[in-house]
Amino acid sequence: MGFNQTKDPSGVAVVQVEGQLIVGNRQELKELVQSTLDKGERRILIDFSRTGYIDSSGLGALVSISKRIREMGGELRLSGLNEDLRSLFELTKLDTLFAIAETPQQALASF
């Protein structure tokens, strides 16, 4: 469980969430994204292809991250949500806040 950050050849910072995004690791994700912003990156993709669960604090962290990226003039995309996570985003209306793609490749193409 954790986070892995890489940079796509197109220049997009890609953060892979592995396992769960929960109260115990949400701050780590927020700090990783802030560090990415501090390095001047403005296009960020968070990929959940290897994520099975996001709790309410994780959703809150994503909202906070989204706000921070917009304040810094950046763009955020999400990808790889499984069926349960996609339903969660729809039920909470967060699907209207985030640009969500099926795959990382589709998300990268949308920047």
Side-chain angles (χ1 to χ4, degrees), residues 61-87:
L62 289 174
V63 171
S64 175
I65 287 168
S66 174
K67 180 180 177 190
R68 184 70 182 141
I69 291 173
R70 274 187 273 123
E71 288 173 349
M72 300 285 288
E75 296 178 68
L76 173 66
R77 303 282 190 271
L78 306 181
S79 68
L81 296 171
N82 66 27
E83 187 175 327
D84 290 340
L85 293 177
R86 186 170 283 277
S87 293

Side-chain angles (χ1 to χ4, degrees), residues 6-42:
T6 58
K7 191 167 186 174
D8 181 74
S10 66
V12 177
V14 179
V15 177
Q16 178 83 43
V17 180
E18 297 187 18
Q20 303 174 335
L21 178 58
I22 57 175
V23 66
N25 65 1
R26 66 183 162 87
Q27 191 63 31
E28 183 182 347
L29 178 62
K30 289 172 73 174
E31 290 172 1
L32 177 62
V33 171
Q34 183 60 52
S35 171
T36 301
L37 288 168
D38 291 345
K39 293 175 186 169
E41 303 293 342
R42 293 295 179 265

Side-chain angles (χ1 to χ4, degrees), residues 39-106:
K39 293 175 186 169
E41 303 293 342
R42 293 295 179 265
R43 296 184 302 160
I44 299 173
L45 165 62
I46 301 178
D47 179 45
F48 293 98
S49 297
R50 297 179 184 174
T51 307
Y53 179 73
I54 301 174
D55 72 5
S56 60
S57 67
L59 291 176
L62 289 174
V63 171
S64 175
I65 287 168
S66 174
K67 180 180 177 190
R68 184 70 182 141
I69 291 173
R70 274 187 273 123
E71 288 173 349
M72 300 285 288
E75 296 178 68
L76 173 66
R77 303 282 190 271
L78 306 181
S79 68
L81 296 171
N82 66 27
E83 187 175 327
D84 290 340
L85 293 177
R86 186 170 283 277
S87 293
L88 176 64
F89 275 71
E90 291 171 2
L91 288 171
T92 57
K93 305 294 185 196
L94 289 174
D95 60 327
T96 62
L97 175 66
F98 295 102
I100 301 172
E102 288 283 327
T103 67
Q105 293 76 20
Q106 291 172 342

